Structure formats: C-alpha cells, structure tokens
Amino acid sequence: MKKHVVFFEVVGGTDKGPDGHRADTMPMVKSLEARGWTAEVIFYSDEKKDEIFEQVAKSADAYVSRINPGNLKSEAIYFQMLRDLCEHGVKGMPHPEAMIGYGAKDALVKLRETALVPEDTYAYYDIDSFKENFPKVLKNGERVLKQNRGSTGEGIWRVQLISEIGDASEVPLTATVRCTEAKDNHVEEHDLEAFMTFCEQYIVGENGMLVDMPFLPRIKEGEIRLLMLNKTPVNVVHKKPADSADAFSATLFSGAQYRYDEPEDWADLVHSFMSTLPMITERLGGYDLPLIWTADFILDTDENGNDTYILGEMNCSCVGFTSQLSLSENVADEIISILTQTETVEQ
Ligand SMILES: Nc1ncnc2c1ncn2[C@@H]1O[C@H](COP(=O)(O)OP(=O)(O)OP(=O)(O)O)[C@@H](O)[C@H]1O
Ligand SMILES: [Mg+2]
C-alpha cells in the first residue's frame, strides 16, 4: 500500500474559501497526515486529465472526489477519468457510478419496492409518459414533482388540485392547480396544462427527468437528514419548514429552522435504515457506499398508525461538513479503515 490519498477539487465555484479550497478539504488532508499517511489536493481540469490520471494511478491508493458537478464544464469527461482510475485499481471514494446512482432523483424509483419509498412514486424520462400518468395520479392526492438537475429546492414543486373535478378518472387539463416551489415556498396558480407544459423543461436535455411522489404532509414536523460516513451515521440535522400554510421546504433560504441532533436521538430511524443498507447498495448497482453522503427522511404514518420514515433524497457528489470540521478526523479513520480492509480481503 502507498498510504497516499488524492483529493480532487476544481478551481472556482461558490464553495471555495480564500485559499481556493473547499473549507473541509485541508482538514481531511491534515487528519490523514496526522495518522502517518500522505495526501494531496489536485485541481482537476479536462485539459490535464491524462496527466492527472497518470499521476494518480501511479501514486495513490484512493481518490476522494470533492467536486460539485455543477462546477464542471462537462461531468462526463471527469467521470470517465474516475472510471478509468477505478479500473486501474485506485479506490473510488466514491465510484462515479455510485455518485450518479445515489445522487440522481430516480434513486427513489429504484427503491420503490421497499418500505423507504411510497409505491406510487414514478420517474418520467419523456414528456409523453408525464402527460399520460400525472393527471391520473394527481386525482388521488397532492404530489411533489422533482427535477433531477437542480439543488436547494429549485424545480421541486408541491402540486395541489384546487378545482372540483367530481368523479372524473383523471384531472382535466383545464383544472386549476396550486404550485409551491421549494426554493422559496412561493405559490403560483395555473391550469394543469400550462403548468405541465412549463415542467417539460425538466425532462428534456442531459440528465433530464421528473420524479413524481406523493406529498407527505408530515414534512411540517421536519425533514431528517442523516450524515453518513460510509456505513456509519455521524450526525443528524433536523430541518423544520417555515410555519406558513403552503410552506414545505427544508432549505435554509426558504426560512426552515435547523437543529443538530445525535444519531442516538433518532435510534429507530437509524436502526431501520442501517438494516436496509445492503439492499440499497444492491439496487443502486452494487457499488460501495459513498465515503461522505446524506439520506433525507420525512415522517409518515403506516396503516397501523405507526411512524415510518420515507426517503426523500440522497446526496453524495460533494457533501460538505464545513459546520463541523472536526469530522475530518472521522473521515480520515474511515478512509484508512476502508483501504486496509480492502487490502486484507485481496491478499
Ligand atoms: N414527498 C415530499 N413531501 C413533502 N415535502 C417534500 C417531499 N419531497 C421533498 N419535499 C420538500 O422539498 C424539499 C426539496 O426537495 P429535495 O430535497 O428532494 O430537493 P433538492 O432541490 O434536491 O434539495 P437539496 O438541495 O437538498 O439537494 C425537501 O427538503 C422537503 O422539504
Ligand atoms: Mg434536499
């Protein structure tokens, strides 16, 4: 083993401090060094990808990706380099396919047969299937539509039917819907046809898709974010949406209140989620769990009146821990533990 780890960053983007790094990068480098390892940061660019590949393939046991894909010109070229590195035996933290699989909104649909996701959750990859299905499911109750490409609530819409539609088998295109965007909880009313036409932009183009899931009214009690280091939950953020009628967003910008809890405070959730990890890994392609990732949950009630936790989304491409930099110590321990275990298995 080389006992050397490379952190990939990219120049620019709003996540950088005065030294040009993400605030949580150098703490991880230092924590590895404190354990007798070496680590370096490489700034990725498409132009230098061959050179970077050679260097990392030769020198490192693992890479840790700390690039927000939104800060790249083309994520496809970067992901291909990561794929090549993994094939060459460098441990991907995470593997690019895991980044794609866990991070995409349709991960929910891949987990639909489990208790984590309501059965009537759908993904639309083309406009026709959206037009075909959405008016039917909206008839059964409020929905949340999620675009894949945004973040911080952009293009995430709560959709409520306002018009009386009698016993029609689907919501007519002329019916009025009340639409609230999670970005800022602002409300717009449209006829269904106009709103659905507006949503077509989310389906077309690279990585375009819309996920359609039931609106979970207990979002009022908060969204529960588990921060995971590989298979270990390390902290919980409880995000309570602003207290107004249509508000459903857990983003800070929309006025949600954040509280930091310990995993022990959410023992039921943690326990049941841990037991589903092997199944999640399998359904999302069999890649190792990401190094640093999050899973967000919303409370629901099952048919026996018991609390259940519904998965709202997962993030893993570049989860930050700037507000708790001491976690770099846990991250370093986790990296070393993953690499030394892999080595033992391979011997
Ligand atoms: N099914 C649902 N029922 C009720 N509220 C929901 C539902 N799905 C999402 N929300 C609310 O909408 C917010 C935004 O949704 P989501 O987190 O999926 O989108 P995002 O834009 O990718 O956010 P992030 O920036 O966290 O990645 C959530 O934080 C939650 O408050
Ligand atoms: Mg979210």
Side-chain angles (χ1 to χ4, degrees):
M1 190 150 14
K2 298 155 189 148
K3 294 180 78 175
H4 184 68
V5 175
V6 165
F7 290 82
F8 287 128
E9 286 207 75
V10 70
V11 175
T14 53
D15 57 347
K16 303 303 184 303
D19 66 351
H21 290 295
R22 289 175 51 86
D24 45 19
T25 300
M26 292 316 288
M28 291 189 278
V29 169
K30 296 209 173 78
S31 297
L32 279 168
E33 287 170 351
R35 286 157 177 77
W37 284 53
T38 54
E40 70 183 307
V41 180
I42 294 181
F43 283 90
Y44 172 82
S45 70
D46 290 348
E47 296 72 42
K48 291 203 190 132
K49 71 166 186 339
D50 296 332
E51 199 182 312
I52 295 173
F53 172 85
E54 292 302 327
Q55 183 188 343
V56 177
K58 209 164 51 211
S59 68
D61 301 303
Y63 70 75
V64 179
S65 179
R66 301 303 288 163
I67 296 181
N68 223 316
N71 289 336
L72 287 171
K73 270 196 279 280
S74 149
E75 59 178 54
I77 302 176
Y78 174 60
F79 283 172
Q80 189 52 48
M81 184 194 75
L82 298 185
R83 227 171 260 127
D84 293 342
L85 283 171
C86 293
E87 260 162 42
H88 196 272
V90 177
K91 187 81 177 166
M93 298 187 178
H95 191 286
E97 301 305 340
M99 252 193 274
I100 296 166
Y102 285 71
K105 289 282 195 282
D106 63 353
L108 294 183
V109 178
K110 296 180 184 152
L111 301 171
R112 185 168 51 188
E113 282 83 37
T114 72
L116 291 169
V117 178
E119 269 167 49
D120 55 341
T121 299
Y122 308 97
Y124 308 120
Y125 304 96
D126 58 74
I127 292 166
D128 284 349
S129 55
F130 175 48
K131 285 187 174 162
E132 161 73 26
N133 202 50
F134 189 63
K136 291 196 180 79
V137 288
L138 181 62
K139 191 191 144 260
N140 302 332
E142 259 178 70
R143 309 293 297 175
V144 173
L145 285 176
K146 302 186 178 203
Q147 72 152 334
N148 184 41
R149 288 176 295 231
S151 68
T152 59
E154 212 180 316
I156 311 289
W157 292 92
R158 170 182 181 180
V159 188
Q160 293 167 265
L161 176 63
I162 300 294
S163 307
E164 241 350 294
I165 62 158
D167 55 6
S169 63
E170 57 180 78
V171 178
L173 293 173
T174 51
T176 304
V177 287
R178 188 173 171 84
C179 311
T180 309
E181 191 176 18
K183 182 170 69 169
D184 52 7
N185 290 322
H186 85 278
V187 181
E188 302 177 15
E189 286 189 7
H190 298 284
D191 61 48
L192 180 61
E193 180 163 35
F195 179 66
M196 287 181 66
T197 304
F198 167 82
C199 287
E200 290 177 5
Q201 60 176 308
Y202 302 132
I203 300 177
V204 295
E206 201 185 349
N207 297 324
M209 68 175 85
L210 259 183
V211 165
D212 170 11
M213 73 185 295
F215 171 75
L216 302 164
R218 292 185 72 187
I219 185 63
K220 284 266 162 236
E221 294 167 55
E223 181 179 69
I224 304 127
R225 164 164 292 193
L226 282 189
L227 175 66
M228 304 282 300
L229 288 186
N230 196 250
K231 53 186 170 337
T232 314
V234 287
N235 75 27
V236 180
V237 190
H238 181 265
K239 307 179 175 184
K240 200 165 179 303
D243 203 8
S244 60
D246 297 295
F248 76 117
S249 177
T251 64
L252 263 188
F253 179 75
S254 70
Q257 294 286 328
Y258 284 23
R259 187 184 78 211
Y260 292 85
D261 291 346
E262 298 297 325
E264 296 75 55
D265 300 327
W266 295 90
D268 288 353
L269 166 62
V270 167
H271 183 76
S272 72
F273 188 54
M274 293 306 100
S275 68
T276 60
L277 288 181
M279 187 267 313
I280 292 179
T281 318
E282 187 206 305
R283 292 200 180 210
L284 296 180
Y287 299 94
D288 290 345
L289 290 170
L291 177 67
I292 309 171
W293 59 293
T294 59
D296 296 340
F297 298 89
I298 302 172
L299 272 162
D300 198 13
T301 310
D302 70 13
E303 60 274 19
N304 304 316
N306 297 318
D307 285 349
T308 54
Y309 294 92
I310 302 296
L311 187 63
E313 68 156 345
M314 294 181 283
N315 282 301
C316 80
S317 52
C318 192
V319 173
F321 55 93
T322 317
S323 57
Q324 211 186 340
L325 288 176
S326 61
L327 280 177
S328 70
E329 307 287 343
N330 308 58
V331 176
D333 285 337
E334 197 62 52
I335 292 172
I336 294 171
S337 149
I338 292 169
L339 290 172
T340 45
Q341 274 165 25
T342 315
E343 182 166 69
T344 320
V345 173
E346 281 169 2
Q347 268 167 3

